[in-house]
């Protein structure tokens, strides 16, 4: 009974305490729900997005050809082809048939959606019947075979005749069959005619034979229907009979070994999740082995094994990566939970000390706190489940940072594995909740009084020098960045190294550096506040400001937790928002750099007749229309005619158009022949149509084009090429350009340099020479096929513009659209998952940090109620006390916002350029251009500005209600 009474006491005290501090309980519960929901949403999203991709993968191709119909992901095709050395009878095929058609789906644990089978005999000789009107019956009309196909009659259209009836074993009754339309036209067959089919082998001196009556002629209703796992054209060459006829009559009468049997199974995979895949793969292997045992020679020709393995690898990798990337966000949420628990325990330390002094044991105190955490955890788990599903769907709709405009077609199902993950998260959070109570449970009233007298002690992490210790791995990470040039996890393959989403260390290093620097700055902050207090005391400044700075300099342990939360929230949120904005911008830049403009088209041009053809020198003399003659061999080549560039500008939606000629070029510099492309441009229109970024060259694009305008034979060359060979602006350079097989040596003058140029990849292409297109054509004596780069109006549909161009110019044969490249990269599940999760995590962390700071302000007032009462008793006015609290909040919020902003901008500027990792020659082209997400930073500033107003209003109201005698009396009894 004593044990039960102790348990009852613990339950009663825990329940009463939860309801006695409703505000703090709800705040803690909100943090728990947010953290658990985010943790559970990651596997929900990865499972849903890769299930969608699994289905899309089957829909995209079928036998290497684009499919118009969606093919089910869980398709199985078992096939048996008879072999002469190991023949099997049809009776030996039936056990496998029974297993696949009845038991296989149960063993896989998936419901059967479709089960079809196809049987075919070896070729038979088809002869005309005795009454058939054919010239002879000694030669076969054709070689064909009998076939049977499940559901055949439901997917064909009868051209003539009727469906065949089932014909059992009866020697005097012909087998009824359908024939394909093509075979009927080829042989002139009609419904109602009778034939005889002879097997090709001789048994007992006789050839087995079957009389056949044609009852109808068929064609496939929809040849592209997924039903036709065998080509309907192949089946059109067979005599199609009902399955019962095939197994009960044809197989018996012919007496031949089984020739071909196939089973096509489609299982319902709508409830397949990531956790189910390993078991399904194992059961598929078991099913394959059993099929081979039942019928040696049976093979599994089509199965979802390969897609499922890819599905499993991809979903696990994405889950791992998102968890790695989520460490800072989840850490911030857990920090809020720990802050709220610490505030709760801090307000109860006197109560806990009294309980301990009156006989309560430390396990009982911990049990009370643990039971409170367990109750909150169970409630949080129940509330987090629907919230996690909403978060997963929102992540699936993410198109950019804080932008959720995509389609909501993600399958989101709660599975036992996800529930277990939620329970594990609650257990870990419960441990984090109990840890602050361990210290409080050690104190009695006496030890608590002594410990409170030392409340100005520095935070535990400062006493343990955690901030300094964290600088070691952070500094090592920075050192690696400077030496390696990028953050790359060892052991990854080349494809993984080329993808920033494939490296889980990409965000951990910046987060670790931000945490270390934050803690180090908070170590210095009290000294700064002390210096400010000394300055204010000498200057005779505001009393409230003086009291606030002195309080903040003497009690860093009180405000360190909310301030760390604020600085980290702002710095990491600024970093992640800037990373997301940089990635969005880079996807745009990468796509447009690859294409060169909004759209790039190539027309083949119209080849007119050759200009002049004359005989060999000294031969015939020809005269042109003007009377001029030529006495030498001359082949000026074809005369290319193109759509005038002005006609492109008349197409609706086109705002700019320019010609760009791309030809092979070379230049001998310093005794070395360097080959590379020559890009001929129209200097007047190029700047208004081409994609350009300010870091591509030291000069503006307009300046470079003006330099080409002043010098017709001018050329632009890469900066590193010029520095390597000592070339400067104004130097001459010989460039050979090949046009239509003709070498054109050009004496050119360097008029500028560039670092990057649209469509040019230095390591892949070699040095690039950019000159005037008209000058090249004049020197070559003709114009040659070129590209047209188009600039489109904002919001216009590029596909519509392309259709208009192709209608106006049928000679357009190739094109590239930058928006298409950008859209394909934007919809990658890794990018979508990261940006979606960071967006929701950013909002949750910002809101909970604001709430945590508000809780700190209110509970700090409660904890310092006695001190404030004494200040009021010795003469400090209500306005002075309000000023004191206002300056304290202002100093903390301004310090947190300032440090967080500076740290966020620094981590963004320093770390983001290193995230462009990879090993390919084009991975860093164009380089990241860091975009600081000031709008996101301004939102947090606005949130904390509103927090300051709300908190100050609440504190002022509490101050006005304060009774000095209550505070003094409380001080005597506490």
């Amino acid at each position: 009974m004593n044990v039960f009474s102790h348990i009852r006491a613990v339950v009663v005290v825990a329940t009463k305490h939860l309801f006695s501090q409703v505000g703090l309980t709800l705040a803690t519960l909100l943090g728990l729900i947010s953290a658990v929901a985010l943790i559970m949403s990651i596997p929900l999203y990865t499972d849903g997005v890769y299930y969608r991709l699994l289905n899309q993968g089957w829909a995209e191709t079928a036998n290497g050809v684009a499919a118009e119909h969606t093919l089910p992901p869980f398709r199985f095709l078992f096939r048996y082809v008879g072999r002469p050395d190991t023949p099997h009878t049809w009776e030996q095929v039936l056990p496998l048939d029974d297993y696949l058609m009845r038991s296989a789906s149960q063993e896989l644990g998936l419901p059967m959606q479709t089960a079809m089978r196809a049987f075919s005999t070896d070729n038979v000789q088809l002869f005309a019947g005795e009454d058939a009107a054919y010239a002879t019956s000694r030669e076969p009309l054709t070689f064909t075979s009998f076939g049977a196909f499940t559901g055949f009659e439901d997917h064909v259209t009868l051209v003539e005749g009727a469906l065949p009836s089932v014909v059992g074993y009866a020697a005097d009754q012909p087998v009824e069959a359908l024939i394909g339309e093509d075979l009927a036209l080829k042989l002139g067959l009609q419904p109602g005619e009778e034939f005889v089919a002879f097997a090709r082998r001789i048994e007992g001196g006789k050839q087995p034979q079957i009389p056949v009556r044609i009852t109808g002629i068929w064609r496939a209703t929809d040849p592209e229907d997924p039903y036709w796992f065998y080509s309907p054209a192949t089946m059109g060459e067979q005599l199609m009979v009902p399955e019962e006829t095939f197994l009960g009559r044809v197989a018996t009468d012919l007496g031949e070994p089984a020739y071909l049997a196939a089973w096509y199974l489609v299982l319902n995979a709508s409830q397949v999740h990531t956790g189910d895949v390993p078991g399904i793969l194992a059961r598929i292997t078991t099913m394959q082995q059993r099929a081979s045992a039942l019928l040696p020679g049976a093979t599994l020709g089509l199965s979802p094994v390969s897609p499922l393995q890819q599905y499993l690898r991809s979903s696990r990798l994405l889950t791992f990566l998102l968890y790695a990337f989520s460490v800072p966000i989840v850490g911030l949420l857990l920090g809020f939970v720990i802050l709220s628990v610490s505030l709760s325990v801090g307000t109860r330390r006197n109560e806990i000390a009294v309980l301990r002094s009156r006989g309560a044991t430390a396990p009982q105190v911990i049990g009370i706190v643990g039971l409170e955490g367990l109750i909150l955890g169970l409630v949080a788990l129940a509330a987090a489940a629907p919230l996690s599903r909403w978060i997963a769907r929102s992540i699936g709709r993410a198109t950019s940072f804080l932008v959720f405009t995509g389609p909501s077609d993600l399958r989101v199902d709660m599975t036992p594995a996800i529930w277990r993950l939620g329970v594990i998260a609650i257990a870990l959070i419960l441990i984090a909740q109990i840890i602050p109570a361990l210290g409080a449970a050690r104190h009695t009233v006496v030890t608590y009084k002594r410990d409170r007298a030392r409340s100005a002690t520095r935070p535990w992490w400062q006493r343990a020098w955690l901030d300094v210790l964290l600088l070691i791995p952070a500094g090592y990470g920075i050192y690696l960045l400077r030496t390696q040039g990028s953050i790359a996890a060892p052991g990854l393959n080349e494809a993984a190294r080329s993808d920033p989403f494939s490296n889980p260390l990409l965000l951990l290093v910046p987060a670790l550096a931000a945490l270390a620097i934050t803690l180090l700055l908070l170590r210095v902050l009290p000294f700064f506040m002390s210096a400010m207090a000394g300055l204010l005391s000498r200057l005779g400044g505001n009393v409230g400001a003086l009291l606030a700075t002195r309080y903040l300099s003497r009690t860093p342990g009180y405000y360190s937790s909310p301030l760390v939360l604020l600085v980290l929230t702002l710095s990491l949120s600024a970093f992640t928002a800037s990373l997301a904005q940089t990635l969005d911008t880079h996807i745009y830049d990468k796509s447009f750099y690859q294409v060169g403009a909004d759209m790039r088209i190539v027309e083949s041009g119209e080849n007119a007749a050759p200009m002049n053809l004359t005989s060999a020198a000294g031969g015939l003399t020809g005269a042109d229309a003007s009377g001029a003659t030529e006495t030498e061999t001359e082949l000026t080549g074809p005369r290319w005619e193109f759509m005038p560039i002005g006609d492109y500008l008349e197409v609706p939606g086109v705002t700019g158009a320019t010609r760009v000629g791309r030809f092979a070029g070379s230049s001998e510099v310093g005794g070395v022949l360097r080959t590379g492309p020559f890009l001929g441009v129209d200097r007047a229109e190029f700047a208004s149509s081409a994609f350009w970024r300010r870091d591509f060259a030291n000069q503006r694009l307009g300046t470079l084009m003006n330099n080409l305008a002043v010098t017709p034979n001018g050329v632009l060359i890469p900066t590193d090429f010029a520095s390597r060979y000592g070339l400067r602006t104004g130097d001459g350079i010989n460039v050979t350009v090949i046009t239509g097989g003709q070498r054109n040596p050009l004496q050119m003058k360097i008029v500028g340099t560039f670092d990057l140029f649209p469509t040019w990849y230095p390591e892949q292409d070699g040095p690039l020479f950019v000159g005037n297109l008209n000058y090249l054509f004049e020197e070559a004596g003709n114009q040659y096929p070129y590209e047209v780069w188009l600039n489109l109006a904002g919001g216009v549909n590029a596909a519509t513009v392309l259709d208009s161009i192709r209608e106006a110019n049928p000679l357009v044969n190739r094109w590239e659209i930058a928006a298409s490249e950008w859209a394909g990269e934007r919809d990658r599940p890794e990018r979508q998952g990261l940006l979606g999760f960071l967006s929701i995590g950013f909002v949750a962390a910002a809101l909970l940090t604001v709430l945590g700071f508000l809780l700190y302000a209110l509970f700090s007032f409660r904890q310092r109620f006695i001190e404030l009462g004494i200040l009021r008793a010795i003469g400090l006015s209500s306005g002075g006390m309000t000023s004191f609290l206002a300056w304290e909040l202002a100093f903390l919020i301004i310090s947190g916002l300032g440090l967080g902003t500076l740290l966020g901008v620094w981590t963004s500027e320093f770390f983001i350029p290193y995230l462009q990792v990879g090993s390919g020659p084009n991975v860093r082209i164009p380089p990241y251009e860091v975009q600081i997400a000031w709008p996101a930073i301004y939102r947090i500033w606005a949130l904390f500005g509103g927090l300051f107003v709300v908190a100050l209003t609440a504190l002022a109201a509490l101050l006005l209600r304060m009774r000095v005698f209550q505070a003094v009396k409380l001080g005597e009894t506490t």
Side-chain angles (χ1 to χ4, degrees):
M1 290 297 295
N2 192 28
V3 175
F4 289 107
S5 62
H6 283 307
I7 295 175
R8 179 178 178 277
V10 169
V11 173
V12 170
V13 173
T15 305
K16 288 184 176 180
H17 183 263
L18 287 175
F19 287 98
S20 65
Q21 294 183 333
V22 177
L24 187 58
T25 300
L26 292 178
T28 305
L29 186 60
L30 182 60
L32 287 172
I33 293 173
S34 301
V36 176
L38 284 174
I39 292 173
M40 295 173 67
S41 67
I42 292 177
L44 279 173
Y45 166 74
T46 56
D47 180 72
V49 72
Y50 278 108
Y51 178 79
R52 181 175 64 190
L53 292 179
L54 179 68
N55 284 273
Q56 289 177 351
W58 283 108
E60 288 173 359
T61 58
N63 298 325
V65 180
E68 297 181 2
H69 304 273
T70 300
L71 302 177
F74 272 67
R75 302 184 302 159
F76 296 85
L77 178 60
F78 284 88
R79 183 185 293 112
Y80 168 78
V81 179
R83 297 177 56 183
D85 54 339
T86 56
H88 290 87
T89 64
W90 285 106
E91 288 76 10
Q92 292 174 308
V93 172
L94 294 180
L96 177 60
D97 175 72
D98 182 70
Y99 168 69
L100 293 177
M101 300 295 286
R102 300 176 183 274
S103 307
S105 64
Q106 298 177 2
E107 290 192 3
L108 284 177
L110 299 172
M112 184 75 76
Q113 183 172 315
T114 302
M116 296 187 293
R117 57 187 179 180
F119 300 134
S120 178
T121 65
D122 195 0
N123 280 345
V124 296
Q125 303 174 59
L126 189 65
F127 287 87
E130 293 180 355
D131 299 330
Y134 290 99
T136 178
S137 60
R138 297 179 181 178
E139 296 293 332
L141 295 174
T142 186
F143 287 91
T144 184
S145 60
F146 287 95
F149 201 3
T150 303
F152 178 80
E153 61 278 1
D154 298 327
H155 294 83
V156 300
T157 299
L158 289 178
V159 179
E160 293 183 58
L163 294 173
S165 301
V166 176
V167 178
Y169 182 78
D172 57 349
Q173 186 177 359
V175 170
E176 296 186 357
L178 293 176
I179 59 172
E181 184 177 20
D182 292 341
L183 182 62
L185 292 175
K186 176 183 176 181
L187 300 179
L189 306 184
Q190 299 292 330
E193 295 182 331
E194 295 189 1
F195 304 89
V196 179
F198 286 87
R200 292 192 300 175
R201 64 187 184 86
I202 297 177
E203 182 179 336
K206 297 181 179 180
Q207 277 185 287
Q209 58 180 293
I210 300 179
V212 181
R213 179 187 297 118
I214 304 300
T215 64
I217 301 172
W218 67 274
R219 72 162 68 106
T221 303
D222 182 6
E224 302 297 329
D225 193 320
Y227 165 82
W228 299 103
F229 67 91
Y230 273 147
S231 169
T234 301
M235 294 183 178
E237 299 292 326
Q238 293 183 303
L239 300 171
M240 301 301 298
V241 300
E243 291 177 315
E244 295 84 351
T245 300
F246 187 96
L247 295 175
R249 174 71 182 276
V250 174
T252 303
D253 281 8
L254 288 181
E256 287 194 332
Y259 178 71
L260 175 64
W263 295 266
Y264 181 71
L265 312 178
V266 178
L267 305 184
N268 188 337
S270 60
Q271 299 303 315
V272 172
H273 300 279
T274 305
D276 305 325
V277 174
I280 292 175
L281 288 172
R283 291 192 291 272
I284 290 176
T285 302
T286 302
M287 181 177 68
Q288 186 175 2
Q289 293 172 348
R290 183 168 182 183
S292 180
L294 289 173
L295 183 62
T299 59
L300 181 58
L302 177 66
S303 78
V305 170
S306 180
L308 280 177
Q309 290 173 340
Q310 179 63 32
Y311 167 75
L312 185 62
R313 287 192 300 267
S314 300
S315 60
R316 284 178 173 176
L317 176 61
L318 181 58
T319 302
F320 172 74
L321 294 178
L322 289 181
Y323 274 130
F325 292 142
S326 69
V327 168
I329 298 296
V330 175
L332 290 174
L333 299 181
L334 293 180
F336 168 80
V337 173
I338 294 174
L339 172 63
S340 60
V341 172
S342 299
L343 290 175
S344 175
V345 174
T347 59
R348 299 170 58 193
R349 292 188 68 188
N350 185 57
E351 173 190 338
I352 293 174
V354 172
L355 289 175
R356 290 283 285 114
S357 299
R358 293 182 177 179
T361 63
Q364 285 179 320
V365 173
I366 296 174
I368 293 173
V369 177
L371 182 59
E372 294 175 9
L374 180 61
I375 294 173
L376 291 178
L378 293 177
V379 175
L381 182 61
L387 181 59
S388 64
R389 299 181 63 179
W390 176 83
I391 292 175
R393 289 194 180 96
S394 299
I395 293 175
R397 299 179 61 238
T399 57
S400 184
F401 187 72
L402 296 177
V403 178
F404 303 91
T405 57
S408 180
D409 58 348
L410 205 65
R411 183 201 66 174
V412 179
D413 290 338
M414 298 296 295
T415 63
I418 295 176
W419 282 109
R420 287 194 297 269
L421 183 64
V423 172
I424 293 173
I426 290 294
L428 295 176
I429 296 174
L430 182 61
I431 295 174
Q433 289 179 282
I434 293 176
I435 290 177
L438 295 177
R442 294 185 294 106
H443 292 291
T444 62
V445 173
V446 176
T447 57
Y448 167 64
K449 295 285 187 179
R450 185 175 65 246
D451 184 69
R452 188 177 180 188
R454 301 172 181 173
S455 59
T457 305
R458 293 175 300 166
W460 66 268
W461 50 266
Q462 287 187 2
R463 299 194 301 270
W465 295 92
L466 180 63
D467 49 348
V468 177
L469 294 177
L470 285 177
L471 286 175
I472 297 175
Y476 179 68
I478 293 174
Y479 167 77
L480 288 179
L481 288 179
R482 291 188 176 277
T483 55
Q484 297 178 181
S486 65
I487 303 176
L492 293 179
N493 56 32
E494 294 301 313
R497 292 172 62 88
S498 64
D499 188 352
F501 294 109
S502 299
N503 189 351
L505 299 180
L506 293 180
L507 287 183
L508 296 184
V509 173
L512 184 61
L515 177 59
I517 295 175
T518 298
L519 296 181
L520 185 63
L521 291 174
L522 291 186
R523 179 182 287 275
V524 180
L525 186 61
F527 298 101
F528 175 76
M529 290 296 176
S530 179
M532 184 177 290
L535 180 62
L536 289 175
S537 64
R538 289 185 178 88
L539 296 178
N542 184 282
V543 175
L546 178 61
L547 289 175
T549 52
R550 285 182 173 175
Y551 175 77
L552 294 175
S553 65
R554 294 173 181 174
T555 58
Y558 278 152
Y559 62 82
S560 61
S561 294
L563 194 56
V564 167
L565 200 60
L566 171 58
V567 175
L568 284 180
T569 296
L570 187 55
S571 60
L572 293 179
S573 296
F575 172 75
T576 54
S578 299
L579 172 61
Q581 187 169 322
T582 300
L583 289 174
D584 275 352
T585 304
H586 182 257
I587 291 174
Y588 176 92
D589 292 351
K590 182 179 178 181
S591 302
F592 278 77
Y593 186 90
Q594 176 183 337
V595 176
D598 288 331
M599 183 184 297
R600 178 173 65 179
I601 65 174
V602 180
E603 60 171 298
S604 58
E606 186 174 355
N607 186 0
M611 294 173 57
N612 282 318
L613 285 172
T614 61
S615 62
L620 296 176
T621 300
D624 60 14
S626 61
T629 63
E630 291 182 311
T631 58
E632 57 181 342
T633 302
E634 182 179 3
L635 173 59
T636 61
R639 174 65 63 184
W640 296 97
E641 295 181 0
F642 304 95
M643 177 177 171
I645 201 69
D647 292 355
Y648 287 99
L649 296 175
E650 297 178 0
V651 176
V654 177
T655 59
T658 185
R659 300 179 304 164
V660 178
R662 190 183 305 273
F663 307 98
S666 63
S667 177
E668 186 173 349
V669 184
V672 179
L673 181 65
R674 295 297 305 274
T675 60
F678 180 91
L679 217 62
V681 299
D682 283 331
R683 56 89 188 168
E685 296 86 11
F686 186 80
S688 62
S689 302
F691 167 74
W692 190 262
R693 219 169 67 179
R694 62 179 181 269
D695 59 332
F696 286 178
N698 291 328
Q699 295 177 295
R700 298 173 60 185
L701 179 60
T703 303
L704 295 176
M705 294 298 104
N706 288 337
N707 294 343
L708 289 177
V710 173
T711 309
N713 65 333
V715 65
L716 307 174
I717 62 174
T719 303
D720 61 343
F721 179 79
S723 61
R724 177 180 301 179
Y725 296 102
L727 300 175
R728 297 184 179 181
T729 301
D731 291 349
I733 184 174
N734 294 323
V735 179
T736 301
V737 182
I738 300 176
T739 57
Q742 173 184 333
R743 298 174 60 86
N744 304 284
L746 307 177
Q747 294 182 353
M748 311 194 76
K749 182 179 179 180
I750 300 174
V751 296
T753 61
F754 54 84
D755 298 317
L756 290 173
F757 207 87
T759 71
W760 174 58
Y761 297 94
E763 294 187 25
Q764 175 179 306
D765 300 333
L768 173 69
F769 307 95
V770 180
N772 286 297
L773 184 62
N774 285 334
Y775 171 75
L776 172 64
F777 285 166
E778 289 173 2
E779 292 297 316
N782 197 357
Q783 63 175 347
Y784 294 89
Y786 51 77
E787 303 170 356
V788 178
W789 293 10
L790 302 177
N791 184 48
L792 307 182
V796 70
N797 189 321
T800 302
V801 174
L802 179 62
D803 291 340
S804 300
I805 292 175
R806 297 184 66 190
E807 182 178 351
N809 185 7
L811 298 179
V812 171
N813 55 8
R814 289 190 293 116
W815 59 86
E816 283 186 87
I817 301 175
S820 300
E821 304 290 335
W822 176 76
E825 187 70 18
R826 183 194 62 189
D827 295 335
R828 291 179 57 202
E830 298 91 340
R831 175 186 175 278
Q832 186 183 57
L834 176 61
L835 295 185
F837 185 84
L838 291 181
S839 298
I840 294 177
F842 166 80
V843 174
L847 294 178
L848 290 182
T849 300
V850 169
L851 179 59
F853 223 91
L854 181 61
L855 290 175
Y856 158 77
L858 297 178
F859 279 85
S860 176
F861 175 83
R862 290 182 57 180
Q863 289 180 337
R864 296 156 54 197
F865 187 72
I866 300 169
E867 302 170 17
L868 295 174
I870 293 173
L871 288 175
R872 185 73 178 87
I874 63 178
L876 187 63
S877 64
S878 298
M881 294 179 65
T882 303
S883 175
F884 167 35
L885 295 177
W887 277 107
E888 178 187 337
L889 277 177
F891 280 136
L892 288 178
I893 292 177
I894 292 174
S895 299
L897 293 180
L899 294 176
T901 301
L902 291 175
L903 189 56
V905 171
W906 175 80
T907 53
S908 299
E909 296 283 0
F910 183 84
F911 286 104
I912 289 178
Y914 293 106
L915 304 189
Q916 196 172 359
V917 297
S919 57
N922 305 331
V923 69
R924 293 180 179 271
I925 299 176
Y928 277 174
E929 189 176 35
V930 177
Q931 305 285 326
I932 302 300
W934 289 110
I937 297 175
Y938 294 152
R939 293 188 189 103
I940 297 184
W941 288 1
L943 278 175
F944 277 90
L947 165 68
F948 177 78
V949 174
V950 172
L952 187 59
T953 302
L955 293 177
L958 292 175
L959 285 173
L960 292 176
R961 296 173 56 189
M962 176 186 287
R963 298 293 182 264
V964 177
F965 73 91
Q966 292 178 348
V968 175
K969 185 67 176 177
L970 182 61
E972 294 176 355
T973 57
T974 300

